[in-house]
Amino acid sequence: EDQVTQSPEALRLQEGESSSLNCSYTVSGLRGLFWYRQDPGKGPEFLFTLYSAGEEKEKERLKATLTKKESFLHITAPKPEDSATYLCAVNSGNTGKLIFGQGTTLQVKP
Amino acid sequence: NAGVTQTPKFQVLKTGQSMTLQCAQDMNHEYMSWYRQDPGMGLRLIHYSVGAGITDQGEVPNGYNVSRSTTEDFPLRLLSAAPSQTSVYFCASTKGLGDETQYFGPGTRLLVL
């Protein structure tokens, strides 16, 4: 059964304190791993898609990496506006169905 | 280009009532999906569609119906609302094979009393 597990559930950082969020996955045939950001009361906002092990993508203070078993979302020198819930999802079929992890809620204090 | 739109934003129903959650996209995407999001449960797929006239069940389809008569619209119908259907509902669309990034709407908050 396809499964996605994110850790930690919650993370508190001081502004400027870099860290990483983990997304472990078990899937029969990975067609894509997706990272989303979700602010309270809003829909998930797309950040990155990773397709193959070794792939990396960056956007401002965020960098996503992918191995055969997990993905990391690295946050460098975070700011309070990076506070949000970060969701990881995988697509293992050809129907656009995504399987989501539970998310990591990040709080960055000034 | 509005992206994915959902109406209403918030709805209160009584047990047993029916209603339709509307979803529309203007990106000419082939795939559309409905998810519900509950505390501690994450996003769970209710129904999805890979094109007009084609729908299939997701992880939690019971109590919900969908149809897809046009590429743009994908309404979700609650036949007889139950308190267990209190949740936040998100609609998403995807371009299709080769570009499977899903784009989400703003959500509909549903409270069933």
Side-chain angles (χ1 to χ4, degrees):
Chain A
E1 182 181 347
D2 298 341
Q3 194 168 354
V4 178
T5 303
Q6 291 187 246
S7 61
E9 289 187 13
L11 183 61
R12 288 185 178 183
L13 299 174
Q14 289 295 131
E15 184 172 3
E17 179 186 2
S18 301
S19 188
S20 297
L21 282 56
N22 177 262
C23 172
S24 298
Y25 64 91
T26 303
V27 65
S28 54
L30 183 68
R31 291 181 60 88
L33 185 140
F34 304 84
W35 281 99
Y36 287 86
R37 169 189 170 127
Q38 187 174 25
D39 293 301
K42 296 190 175 182
E45 176 187 350
F46 170 71
L47 292 174
F48 303 109
T49 307
L50 301 168
Y51 289 103
S52 57
E55 189 174 359
E56 300 182 351
K57 289 193 177 175
E58 289 188 66
K59 179 180 180 180
E60 297 181 353
R61 295 176 293 281
L62 300 177
K63 179 180 178 180
T65 62
L66 181 65
T67 73
K68 289 185 178 180
K69 294 184 177 180
E70 57 191 351
S71 177
F72 291 94
L73 184 65
H74 306 278
I75 303 176
T76 302
K79 298 182 177 181
E81 53 262 42
D82 294 322
S83 297
T85 295
Y86 291 86
L87 302 171
C88 172
V90 296
N91 177 10
S92 66
N94 60 356
T95 59
K97 294 168 60 177
L98 291 186
I99 300 168
F100 280 85
Q102 303 282 2
T104 294
T105 300
L106 173 65
Q107 183 180 25
V108 182
K109 293 188 174 183
Chain B
N1 194 336
V4 180
T5 58
Q6 293 183 239
T7 57
K9 291 185 178 179
F10 180 69
Q11 183 72 45
V12 179
L13 290 179
K14 294 181 179 179
T15 296
Q17 288 184 317
S18 63
M19 79 160 294
T20 299
L21 280 63
Q22 301 292 344
C23 174
Q25 53 91 9
D26 62 359
M27 298 175 282
N28 200 31
H29 284 176
E30 285 295 317
Y31 299 170
M32 296 185 75
S33 305
W34 276 103
Y35 294 86
R36 60 178 290 173
Q37 187 173 40
D38 303 290
M41 302 293 288
L43 281 157
R44 293 181 292 169
L45 183 65
I46 304 172
H47 285 286
Y48 66 98
S49 168
V50 297
I54 307 171
T55 63
D56 205 347
Q57 296 181 352
E59 181 184 356
V60 288
N62 293 340
Y64 307 95
N65 271 3
V66 292
S67 60
R68 183 117 178 257
S69 57
T70 67
T71 300
E72 294 79 20
D73 301 298
F74 191 41
L76 179 71
R77 282 181 285 276
L78 280 69
L79 307 175
S80 177
S84 61
Q85 294 178 304
T86 293
S87 186
V88 182
Y89 292 85
F90 290 102
C91 179
S93 73
T94 306
K95 187 173 184 179
L97 282 178
D99 183 358
E100 288 148 4
T101 301
Q102 291 201 2
Y103 297 91
F104 285 80
T108 293
R109 294 181 178 275
L110 177 66
L111 174 62
V112 183
L113 301 174

